[in-house]
Each structure stands twice: as C-alpha cells, then as structure tokens.
Amino acid sequence: EVQLVESGGGLMQPGGSLRLSCAASGFTVRTHYMSWVRQAPGKGLEWVSVIYTGGGSYYADSVKGRLTISKDTVKNTLYLQMNSLRVEDTAVYYCARVLGSVRIDYWGQGTLVTVSS
Amino acid sequence: NFLLTQPHSVSESPGKTVTISCTRSSGSIASNSVQWYQQRPGSSPTTVIYEYFQRPSGVPDRFSGSIDSSSNSASLSISGLQTEDEADYYCQSYDSDSWVFGGGTHLTVL
C-alpha cells in the first residue's frame, strides 16, 4: 500500500528555516517524480515544487531561491528545505507522488507550517 | 505562465448533473493535459479525472471530463449528484516544468 507521511511542520518566525520530511512506503521515490503542494488556510491548492527521477527540480516563482526540494533514496524520503520564511508561506504542505510526470496519484495527509511573529 | 480560471462555487440538487469549467488564460488547453482533484473538508485531495477524461479506478462513472478547444477550457461533469459529492474541486495543468492549479470550485449539493 502506498503511503506518504509528512512531518516537520510547526510555528516559525519570519526569516527562519524549517525542513519538512515525507516518508514514503509501498513504492520507491527513486523511480517516481515527487512534488510538494501547499494550501494556505481557507485557500486553494498551490503547486510548490517537483523533483524528477534524475534529480532535476523546478519551483513556483513564489518560492524560488528560498525553498529546496530533495530526496534520499536510501531513506525513501522526500524533503523540503524552507529558508527565509515569510508570513505568506503559512500553509498545509502536502507531499505527493506524481504519475506519468503530470498528475498526482497519491497525497500525504499534510503538515501545517505557520509563520508568524 | 498561465492561469486556470474556475467558477468560485456551484450548487445543484441531488440526482441532477453539474458541470464545472476550467479556462486556460494563454496557450492551448489541448497542449497539456488537465487533471481534476476532489477535496472534501478536512481531507487531502484525491484524483477524480486525469488526462482530460480518464477516471482512476474506484472513481464512479458519474464523473466525466471533457475539453472544448473553442473556449480553451476543460470541464468536469458529475451526474446523479449525491450529497457525498459536496466538496471543493480543482483543475490542474502544466507548462514548461511548471504546474498550475485552478482556484477551486466549491460544489454544494442541496
């Protein structure tokens, strides 16, 4: 059974750093594209980043240069390093498995990141 | 980049059919596939349609997708509406290694 379990969220001050983790099971992150999608409180879904099987990664303009996606194929875990946090980064962050390079077939339960002074 | 525009909300009665549109602002809707996700309150999204009109296993055939190049839009239709269909629905597409979600449509079944 495919499972994605995020962790690492919490309350942070603006300018701070945080690393989110997404432990995958039932498949290997080495052979799948993986993505992060976020949802601000009461708002819609916003794509954040994707990492390809070869390691190439892409980002939404709103997070470029501040957030970094990576994966550890030994630990079968996806990460999102978040630096220079802003109030507008406050959201539930979902880890997602990508199928066929363009669609999500499995989502995690999400982890809440709150950025506030 | 481009935007995907959806109606903010729609409502319909149980047993009826509702259609939610997703209009692409620039570039052809036919250039890159469109997916539809359902999100019930307090839950993670799930896929109901992918590649314009494909249904994942387990999604009832009451859900269907279509594309209209003349209006540069994709649509999600739900027939035989049930109260459990009340949720937020998001379209999603991509272009040049960048993904885009529509703003979401809240479906009320009343």
Side-chain angles (χ1 to χ4, degrees):
Chain A
E1 180 192 5
V2 171
Q3 283 196 319
L4 298 167
V5 179
E6 300 96 333
S7 60
L11 175 61
M12 302 298 297
Q13 290 196 332
S17 296
L18 191 65
R19 189 178 78 161
L20 306 183
S21 300
C22 170
S25 59
F27 75 103
T28 171
V29 299
R30 183 177 56 82
T31 58
H32 284 79
Y33 292 8
M34 299 292 294
S35 186
W36 288 97
V37 176
R38 69 184 182 183
Q39 186 170 36
K43 303 296 185 182
L45 301 174
E46 180 188 15
W47 174 73
V48 173
S49 180
V50 64
I51 185 166
Y52 293 163
T53 51
S57 56
Y58 297 89
Y59 301 89
D61 288 343
S62 58
V63 306
K64 206 170 290 183
R66 301 186 301 115
L67 274 57
T68 303
I69 191 171
S70 64
K71 61 184 176 180
D72 184 327
T73 55
V74 174
K75 295 183 177 179
N76 210 33
T77 299
L78 178 73
Y79 300 102
L80 186 67
Q81 178 66 43
M82 308 176 70
N83 297 331
S84 302
L85 283 165
R86 303 171 179 171
V87 171
E88 54 264 36
D89 293 323
T90 296
V92 172
Y93 285 74
Y94 293 102
C95 163
R97 189 179 85 164
V98 178
L99 199 62
S101 80
V102 298
R103 69 178 180 99
I104 293 169
D105 65 341
Y106 285 95
W107 300 71
Q109 85 288 351
T111 186
L112 176 62
V113 174
T114 303
V115 184
S116 174
S117 54
Chain B
N1 226 324
F2 64 94
L3 299 176
L4 294 174
T5 300
Q6 303 178 230
H8 185 256
S9 64
V10 295
S11 61
E12 190 51 90
S13 302
K16 300 290 189 179
T17 297
V18 69
T19 298
I20 299 171
S21 62
C22 172
T23 302
R24 180 165 171 158
S25 63
S26 61
S28 172
I29 193 72
S31 295
N32 310 100
S33 67
V34 173
Q35 282 61 240
W36 290 92
Y37 303 97
Q38 176 193 68
Q39 187 179 33
R40 295 191 173 107
S43 297
S44 301
T46 61
T47 308
V48 291
I49 293 289
Y50 67 95
E51 293 176 4
Y52 299 111
F53 41 76
Q54 303 295 330
R55 258 190 330 273
S57 60
V59 174
D61 60 6
R62 301 186 297 105
F63 291 80
S64 63
S66 62
I67 177 177
D68 181 359
S69 294
S70 66
S71 59
N72 212 35
S73 65
S75 294
L76 170 70
S77 293
I78 311 171
S79 62
L81 277 169
Q82 301 178 3
T83 54
E84 66 197 45
D85 298 329
E86 186 159 301
D88 293 324
Y89 292 85
Y90 297 90
C91 59
Q92 171 260 316
S93 190
Y94 63 96
D95 186 23
S96 301
D97 300 311
S98 178
W99 288 31
V100 177
F101 282 94
T105 299
H106 183 72
L107 168 62
T108 301
V109 181
L110 38 62

Short mmCIF file of all heavy atoms in Angstrom, two decimals, chain B residues 43-93:
data_model
loop_
_atom_site.label_atom_id
_atom_site.label_comp_id
_atom_site.label_asym_id
_atom_site.label_seq_id
_atom_site.Cartn_x
_atom_site.Cartn_y
_atom_site.Cartn_z
N SER B 43 -9.84 16.87 4.51
CA SER B 43 -9.14 15.73 3.89
C SER B 43 -8.16 16.20 2.83
O SER B 43 -8.25 17.32 2.34
CB SER B 43 -10.15 14.77 3.26
OG SER B 43 -10.99 14.21 4.23
N SER B 44 -7.25 15.31 2.49
CA SER B 44 -6.33 15.57 1.38
C SER B 44 -7.09 15.41 0.06
O SER B 44 -8.10 14.70 0.00
CB SER B 44 -5.16 14.59 1.43
OG SER B 44 -4.46 14.69 2.64
N PRO B 45 -6.60 16.06 -0.99
CA PRO B 45 -7.25 15.89 -2.30
C PRO B 45 -7.12 14.47 -2.82
O PRO B 45 -6.22 13.72 -2.43
CB PRO B 45 -6.48 16.87 -3.20
CG PRO B 45 -5.83 17.83 -2.26
CD PRO B 45 -5.51 17.04 -1.03
N THR B 46 -8.03 14.10 -3.72
CA THR B 46 -7.94 12.84 -4.45
C THR B 46 -8.22 13.13 -5.92
O THR B 46 -8.93 14.10 -6.25
CB THR B 46 -8.93 11.79 -3.93
OG1 THR B 46 -10.26 12.29 -4.10
CG2 THR B 46 -8.69 11.48 -2.47
N THR B 47 -7.71 12.29 -6.80
CA THR B 47 -7.91 12.49 -8.23
C THR B 47 -9.23 11.89 -8.66
O THR B 47 -9.53 10.74 -8.33
CB THR B 47 -6.77 11.82 -9.02
OG1 THR B 47 -5.51 12.27 -8.52
CG2 THR B 47 -6.88 12.16 -10.50
N VAL B 48 -10.02 12.66 -9.41
CA VAL B 48 -11.25 12.11 -9.96
C VAL B 48 -11.17 11.97 -11.48
O VAL B 48 -11.85 11.13 -12.06
CB VAL B 48 -12.49 12.93 -9.57
CG1 VAL B 48 -12.76 12.79 -8.07
CG2 VAL B 48 -12.33 14.40 -9.93
N ILE B 49 -10.35 12.80 -12.13
CA ILE B 49 -10.15 12.72 -13.57
C ILE B 49 -8.70 13.07 -13.87
O ILE B 49 -8.14 14.00 -13.28
CB ILE B 49 -11.07 13.70 -14.34
CG1 ILE B 49 -12.54 13.29 -14.21
CG2 ILE B 49 -10.67 13.80 -15.83
CD1 ILE B 49 -12.93 12.03 -14.97
N TYR B 50 -8.09 12.36 -14.81
CA TYR B 50 -6.75 12.73 -15.27
C TYR B 50 -6.69 12.66 -16.78
O TYR B 50 -7.51 12.00 -17.42
CB TYR B 50 -5.67 11.86 -14.62
CG TYR B 50 -5.68 10.41 -15.01
CD1 TYR B 50 -4.89 9.93 -16.04
CD2 TYR B 50 -6.51 9.49 -14.35
CE1 TYR B 50 -4.89 8.58 -16.39
CE2 TYR B 50 -6.53 8.16 -14.69
CZ TYR B 50 -5.71 7.71 -15.71
OH TYR B 50 -5.73 6.38 -16.06
N GLU B 51 -5.75 13.38 -17.36
CA GLU B 51 -5.58 13.45 -18.82
C GLU B 51 -6.92 13.73 -19.50
O GLU B 51 -7.34 13.02 -20.42
CB GLU B 51 -4.94 12.16 -19.33
CG GLU B 51 -3.50 12.02 -18.84
CD GLU B 51 -2.85 10.70 -19.24
OE1 GLU B 51 -3.47 9.90 -19.97
OE2 GLU B 51 -1.71 10.48 -18.80
N TYR B 52 -7.57 14.78 -19.03
CA TYR B 52 -8.83 15.34 -19.55
C TYR B 52 -10.07 14.53 -19.21
O TYR B 52 -11.08 15.09 -18.81
CB TYR B 52 -8.78 15.51 -21.08
CG TYR B 52 -7.70 16.44 -21.59
CD1 TYR B 52 -6.62 15.93 -22.31
CD2 TYR B 52 -7.77 17.81 -21.37
CE1 TYR B 52 -5.63 16.78 -22.79
CE2 TYR B 52 -6.78 18.67 -21.85
CZ TYR B 52 -5.71 18.14 -22.56
OH TYR B 52 -4.72 18.98 -23.03
N PHE B 53 -10.03 13.20 -19.44
CA PHE B 53 -11.25 12.42 -19.26
C PHE B 53 -11.04 11.01 -18.76
O PHE B 53 -11.97 10.20 -18.76
CB PHE B 53 -12.05 12.37 -20.57
CG PHE B 53 -11.23 12.18 -21.80
CD1 PHE B 53 -10.69 10.93 -22.13
CD2 PHE B 53 -10.96 13.24 -22.65
CE1 PHE B 53 -9.93 10.76 -23.27
CE2 PHE B 53 -10.20 13.07 -23.80
CZ PHE B 53 -9.68 11.83 -24.11
N GLN B 54 -9.82 10.69 -18.29
CA GLN B 54 -9.57 9.35 -17.75
C GLN B 54 -9.97 9.30 -16.28
O GLN B 54 -9.70 10.24 -15.51
CB GLN B 54 -8.09 8.98 -17.90
CG GLN B 54 -7.56 9.02 -19.32
CD GLN B 54 -8.22 7.97 -20.21
OE1 GLN B 54 -8.63 6.91 -19.75
NE2 GLN B 54 -8.36 8.30 -21.49
N ARG B 55 -10.59 8.21 -15.88
CA ARG B 55 -11.01 8.02 -14.49
C ARG B 55 -10.12 7.02 -13.80
O ARG B 55 -9.97 5.90 -14.29
CB ARG B 55 -12.46 7.51 -14.43
CG ARG B 55 -13.52 8.50 -14.09
CD ARG B 55 -14.87 7.83 -13.84
NE ARG B 55 -15.09 6.61 -14.58
CZ ARG B 55 -15.59 6.57 -15.79
NH1 ARG B 55 -15.90 7.70 -16.40
NH2 ARG B 55 -15.75 5.41 -16.40
N PRO B 56 -9.56 7.38 -12.63
CA PRO B 56 -8.81 6.37 -11.87
C PRO B 56 -9.74 5.26 -11.42
O PRO B 56 -10.96 5.47 -11.29
CB PRO B 56 -8.28 7.16 -10.66
CG PRO B 56 -8.38 8.60 -11.05
CD PRO B 56 -9.54 8.69 -11.97
N SER B 57 -9.18 4.10 -11.17
CA SER B 57 -10.01 3.01 -10.66
C SER B 57 -10.60 3.42 -9.32
O SER B 57 -9.94 4.06 -8.49
CB SER B 57 -9.18 1.73 -10.51
OG SER B 57 -8.12 1.96 -9.60
N GLY B 58 -11.85 3.07 -9.14
CA GLY B 58 -12.54 3.41 -7.90
C GLY B 58 -13.37 4.67 -7.98
O GLY B 58 -14.23 4.90 -7.12
N VAL B 59 -13.15 5.48 -9.00
CA VAL B 59 -13.97 6.68 -9.19
C VAL B 59 -15.20 6.30 -10.00
O VAL B 59 -15.08 5.75 -11.09
CB VAL B 59 -13.18 7.79 -9.91
CG1 VAL B 59 -14.08 8.99 -10.22
CG2 VAL B 59 -11.99 8.23 -9.05
N PRO B 60 -16.38 6.59 -9.49
CA PRO B 60 -17.60 6.18 -10.22
C PRO B 60 -17.73 6.87 -11.58
O PRO B 60 -17.22 7.98 -11.78
CB PRO B 60 -18.73 6.60 -9.27
CG PRO B 60 -18.13 7.50 -8.26
CD PRO B 60 -16.67 7.25 -8.22
N ASP B 61 -18.41 6.19 -12.49
CA ASP B 61 -18.54 6.74 -13.84
C ASP B 61 -19.52 7.92 -13.89
O ASP B 61 -19.79 8.45 -14.97
CB ASP B 61 -18.93 5.65 -14.84
CG ASP B 61 -20.25 4.98 -14.52
OD1 ASP B 61 -20.93 5.44 -13.57
OD2 ASP B 61 -20.60 3.99 -15.19
N ARG B 62 -20.01 8.34 -12.75
CA ARG B 62 -20.80 9.59 -12.69
C ARG B 62 -19.90 10.79 -12.95
O ARG B 62 -20.39 11.87 -13.28
CB ARG B 62 -21.46 9.73 -11.31
CG ARG B 62 -22.38 8.59 -10.94
CD ARG B 62 -23.11 8.86 -9.63
NE ARG B 62 -22.22 8.98 -8.47
CZ ARG B 62 -21.91 10.12 -7.87
NH1 ARG B 62 -22.39 11.27 -8.33
NH2 ARG B 62 -21.12 10.11 -6.82
N PHE B 63 -18.60 10.60 -12.77
CA PHE B 63 -17.62 11.66 -13.00
C PHE B 63 -17.07 11.53 -14.43
O PHE B 63 -16.63 10.44 -14.83
CB PHE B 63 -16.46 11.58 -12.00
CG PHE B 63 -16.85 11.92 -10.60
CD1 PHE B 63 -17.48 10.98 -9.79
CD2 PHE B 63 -16.58 13.18 -10.07
CE1 PHE B 63 -17.84 11.30 -8.48
CE2 PHE B 63 -16.94 13.51 -8.77
CZ PHE B 63 -17.57 12.55 -7.97
N SER B 64 -17.09 12.62 -15.17
CA SER B 64 -16.55 12.60 -16.52
C SER B 64 -15.88 13.93 -16.83
O SER B 64 -16.23 14.97 -16.27
CB SER B 64 -17.64 12.30 -17.55
OG SER B 64 -18.62 13.32 -17.54
N GLY B 65 -14.90 13.88 -17.72
CA GLY B 65 -14.17 15.08 -18.11
C GLY B 65 -14.27 15.31 -19.60
O GLY B 65 -14.50 14.38 -20.38
N SER B 66 -14.11 16.56 -20.00
CA SER B 66 -14.14 16.90 -21.41
C SER B 66 -13.25 18.11 -21.66
O SER B 66 -12.78 18.76 -20.74
CB SER B 66 -15.57 17.19 -21.87
OG SER B 66 -16.10 18.31 -21.16
N ILE B 67 -13.05 18.39 -22.94
CA ILE B 67 -12.23 19.53 -23.34
C ILE B 67 -12.94 20.24 -24.49
O ILE B 67 -13.57 19.59 -25.35
CB ILE B 67 -10.81 19.06 -23.75
CG1 ILE B 67 -9.95 20.23 -24.24
CG2 ILE B 67 -10.85 17.94 -24.75
CD1 ILE B 67 -8.53 19.84 -24.58
N ASP B 68 -12.88 21.56 -24.51
CA ASP B 68 -13.50 22.36 -25.56
C ASP B 68 -12.47 23.36 -26.06
O ASP B 68 -12.23 24.39 -25.40
CB ASP B 68 -14.75 23.07 -25.02
CG ASP B 68 -15.44 23.91 -26.09
OD1 ASP B 68 -14.95 23.96 -27.23
OD2 ASP B 68 -16.48 24.51 -25.78
N SER B 69 -11.87 23.08 -27.18
CA SER B 69 -10.82 23.95 -27.70
C SER B 69 -11.36 25.32 -28.10
O SER B 69 -10.64 26.32 -28.04
CB SER B 69 -10.14 23.28 -28.90
OG SER B 69 -9.44 22.12 -28.49
N SER B 70 -12.62 25.40 -28.48
CA SER B 70 -13.17 26.69 -28.91
C SER B 70 -13.22 27.69 -27.76
O SER B 70 -13.06 28.90 -27.97
CB SER B 70 -14.55 26.49 -29.52
OG SER B 70 -15.47 26.04 -28.54
N SER B 71 -13.43 27.21 -26.55
CA SER B 71 -13.46 28.10 -25.38
C SER B 71 -12.18 27.97 -24.57
O SER B 71 -12.05 28.59 -23.50
CB SER B 71 -14.67 27.79 -24.50
OG SER B 71 -14.62 26.45 -24.04
N ASN B 72 -11.24 27.18 -25.08
CA ASN B 72 -9.96 26.92 -24.39
C ASN B 72 -10.18 26.48 -22.95
O ASN B 72 -9.52 26.97 -22.02
CB ASN B 72 -9.06 28.16 -24.42
CG ASN B 72 -7.58 27.78 -24.48
OD1 ASN B 72 -7.22 26.78 -25.12
ND2 ASN B 72 -6.75 28.56 -23.83
N SER B 73 -11.09 25.53 -22.78
CA SER B 73 -11.42 25.12 -21.43
C SER B 73 -11.60 23.61 -21.34
O SER B 73 -11.84 22.92 -22.34
CB SER B 73 -12.68 25.82 -20.95
OG SER B 73 -13.78 25.42 -21.71
N ALA B 74 -11.46 23.12 -20.12
CA ALA B 74 -11.78 21.74 -19.78
C ALA B 74 -12.94 21.78 -18.80
O ALA B 74 -13.16 22.81 -18.14
CB ALA B 74 -10.58 21.05 -19.15
N SER B 75 -13.67 20.68 -18.72
CA SER B 75 -14.82 20.64 -17.82
C SER B 75 -14.89 19.32 -17.09
O SER B 75 -14.48 18.28 -17.63
CB SER B 75 -16.13 20.87 -18.59
OG SER B 75 -16.18 22.16 -19.12
N LEU B 76 -15.43 19.39 -15.88
CA LEU B 76 -15.73 18.21 -15.08
C LEU B 76 -17.24 18.16 -14.91
O LEU B 76 -17.84 19.15 -14.48
CB LEU B 76 -15.06 18.31 -13.70
CG LEU B 76 -15.48 17.28 -12.67
CD1 LEU B 76 -14.95 15.89 -13.06
CD2 LEU B 76 -14.97 17.66 -11.28
N SER B 77 -17.83 17.05 -15.27
CA SER B 77 -19.27 16.87 -15.07
C SER B 77 -19.51 15.75 -14.07
O SER B 77 -18.82 14.73 -14.09
CB SER B 77 -19.95 16.52 -16.40
OG SER B 77 -19.90 17.61 -17.28
N ILE B 78 -20.48 15.97 -13.21
CA ILE B 78 -20.88 14.97 -12.23
C ILE B 78 -22.36 14.76 -12.38
O ILE B 78 -23.15 15.71 -12.21
CB ILE B 78 -20.54 15.42 -10.78
CG1 ILE B 78 -19.10 15.90 -10.68
CG2 ILE B 78 -20.79 14.26 -9.81
CD1 ILE B 78 -18.76 16.56 -9.35
N SER B 79 -22.74 13.56 -12.73
CA SER B 79 -24.16 13.25 -12.91
C SER B 79 -24.68 12.49 -11.70
O SER B 79 -23.90 11.98 -10.89
CB SER B 79 -24.36 12.41 -14.18
OG SER B 79 -23.67 11.19 -14.07
N GLY B 80 -26.00 12.43 -11.58
CA GLY B 80 -26.60 11.73 -10.46
C GLY B 80 -26.03 12.20 -9.13
O GLY B 80 -25.64 11.40 -8.29
N LEU B 81 -26.00 13.51 -8.95
CA LEU B 81 -25.35 14.10 -7.77
C LEU B 81 -25.79 13.46 -6.47
O LEU B 81 -27.00 13.20 -6.26
CB LEU B 81 -25.60 15.60 -7.72
CG LEU B 81 -24.67 16.48 -8.55
CD1 LEU B 81 -25.20 17.90 -8.61
CD2 LEU B 81 -23.25 16.43 -8.02
N GLN B 82 -24.80 13.24 -5.60
CA GLN B 82 -25.06 12.71 -4.27
C GLN B 82 -24.50 13.69 -3.25
O GLN B 82 -23.58 14.45 -3.55
CB GLN B 82 -24.40 11.33 -4.12
CG GLN B 82 -24.89 10.31 -5.14
CD GLN B 82 -24.21 8.97 -5.02
OE1 GLN B 82 -23.38 8.74 -4.14
NE2 GLN B 82 -24.57 8.05 -5.91
N THR B 83 -25.04 13.63 -2.05
CA THR B 83 -24.59 14.57 -1.02
C THR B 83 -23.10 14.42 -0.75
O THR B 83 -22.42 15.39 -0.41
CB THR B 83 -25.39 14.37 0.27
OG1 THR B 83 -25.30 13.01 0.68
CG2 THR B 83 -26.86 14.75 0.07
N GLU B 84 -22.57 13.20 -0.94
CA GLU B 84 -21.15 12.97 -0.69
C GLU B 84 -20.25 13.65 -1.73
O GLU B 84 -19.04 13.73 -1.55
CB GLU B 84 -20.85 11.47 -0.72
CG GLU B 84 -21.03 10.83 -2.07
CD GLU B 84 -21.15 9.31 -1.99
OE1 GLU B 84 -21.88 8.83 -1.11
OE2 GLU B 84 -20.50 8.63 -2.79
N ASP B 85 -20.85 14.13 -2.84
CA ASP B 85 -20.08 14.84 -3.85
C ASP B 85 -19.78 16.29 -3.44
O ASP B 85 -18.99 16.98 -4.10
CB ASP B 85 -20.81 14.85 -5.20
CG ASP B 85 -21.03 13.46 -5.75
OD1 ASP B 85 -20.21 12.57 -5.49
OD2 ASP B 85 -22.06 13.27 -6.44
N GLU B 86 -20.44 16.74 -2.38
CA GLU B 86 -20.20 18.11 -1.92
C GLU B 86 -18.75 18.22 -1.46
O GLU B 86 -18.30 17.52 -0.55
CB GLU B 86 -21.15 18.48 -0.78
CG GLU B 86 -21.05 19.93 -0.35
CD GLU B 86 -22.30 20.41 0.39
OE1 GLU B 86 -23.40 20.36 -0.17
OE2 GLU B 86 -22.13 20.83 1.56
N ALA B 87 -18.01 19.10 -2.13
CA ALA B 87 -16.56 19.20 -1.92
C ALA B 87 -16.03 20.37 -2.74
O ALA B 87 -16.77 21.02 -3.48
CB ALA B 87 -15.87 17.91 -2.35
N ASP B 88 -14.72 20.59 -2.60
CA ASP B 88 -14.02 21.53 -3.48
C ASP B 88 -13.37 20.74 -4.61
O ASP B 88 -12.82 19.66 -4.39
CB ASP B 88 -12.94 22.30 -2.72
CG ASP B 88 -13.52 23.23 -1.67
OD1 ASP B 88 -14.60 23.80 -1.91
OD2 ASP B 88 -12.91 23.36 -0.60
N TYR B 89 -13.42 21.31 -5.81
CA TYR B 89 -12.84 20.65 -6.98
C TYR B 89 -11.82 21.59 -7.63
O TYR B 89 -12.10 22.77 -7.84
CB TYR B 89 -13.94 20.28 -7.98
CG TYR B 89 -14.85 19.19 -7.46
CD1 TYR B 89 -15.94 19.49 -6.64
CD2 TYR B 89 -14.59 17.85 -7.74
CE1 TYR B 89 -16.76 18.49 -6.14
CE2 TYR B 89 -15.40 16.84 -7.24
CZ TYR B 89 -16.48 17.18 -6.44
OH TYR B 89 -17.28 16.18 -5.92
N TYR B 90 -10.66 21.03 -7.94
CA TYR B 90 -9.57 21.81 -8.51
C TYR B 90 -9.13 21.20 -9.84
O TYR B 90 -8.92 19.99 -9.91
CB TYR B 90 -8.36 21.84 -7.58
CG TYR B 90 -8.61 22.50 -6.25
CD1 TYR B 90 -9.06 21.78 -5.16
CD2 TYR B 90 -8.36 23.86 -6.09
CE1 TYR B 90 -9.29 22.39 -3.93
CE2 TYR B 90 -8.58 24.49 -4.86
CZ TYR B 90 -9.04 23.74 -3.79
OH TYR B 90 -9.26 24.36 -2.59
N CYS B 91 -8.96 22.03 -10.85
CA CYS B 91 -8.32 21.57 -12.07
C CYS B 91 -6.82 21.87 -11.97
O CYS B 91 -6.40 22.73 -11.19
CB CYS B 91 -8.92 22.20 -13.32
SG CYS B 91 -8.84 23.99 -13.42
N GLN B 92 -6.03 21.15 -12.74
CA GLN B 92 -4.57 21.31 -12.71
C GLN B 92 -4.01 20.99 -14.08
O GLN B 92 -4.45 20.04 -14.75
CB GLN B 92 -3.96 20.40 -11.65
CG GLN B 92 -2.44 20.32 -11.65
CD GLN B 92 -1.93 19.07 -12.34
OE1 GLN B 92 -2.44 17.97 -12.13
NE2 GLN B 92 -0.90 19.21 -13.18
N SER B 93 -3.06 21.78 -14.51
CA SER B 93 -2.34 21.51 -15.75
C SER B 93 -0.89 21.95 -15.58
O SER B 93 -0.46 22.25 -14.45
CB SER B 93 -3.01 22.20 -16.93
OG SER B 93 -2.45 21.75 -18.16
#
